[in-house]
């Protein structure tokens, strides 16, 4: 390693739709024959279950 990396050099940001909690296990009721809860996994459609989205590029001259 050549040195410490700045914490602000991130290429991704937390998904604004799921706040970084990209997937959840939801019980569908009942149990299987082994006694385990039956669940399905729901993923965030905006980030596809990653929890992050690509960082936005700032255009020059924007906002003026």
């Amino acid at each position: 390693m050549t040195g410490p990396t700045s914490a602000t050099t991130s290429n991704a940001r937390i998904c604004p739709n799921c706040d970084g909690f990209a997937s959840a296990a939801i019980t569908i009721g009942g149990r299987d024959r082994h006694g385990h809860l039956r669940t399905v996994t729901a993923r965030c459609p905006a980030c596809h279950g990653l929890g992050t989205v690509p960082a936005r590029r700032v255009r020059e001259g924007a906002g003026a």
Side-chain angles (χ1 to χ4, degrees):
M1 290 182 80
T2 58
T5 306
S6 174
T8 59
T9 60
S10 176
N11 292 336
R13 61 187 179 98
I14 294 175
C15 176
N17 295 312
C18 66
D19 291 328
F21 295 96
S23 62
I26 302 169
T27 60
I28 57 175
R31 295 183 179 265
D32 65 7
R33 61 188 176 106
H34 299 290
H36 300 124
L37 283 174
R38 296 185 313 174
T39 61
V40 293
T41 302
R43 292 187 169 85
C44 174
C47 66
H48 306 286
L50 296 175
T52 59
V53 291
R56 292 183 183 174
R57 302 190 106 200
V58 178
R59 296 185 310 198
E60 289 189 32

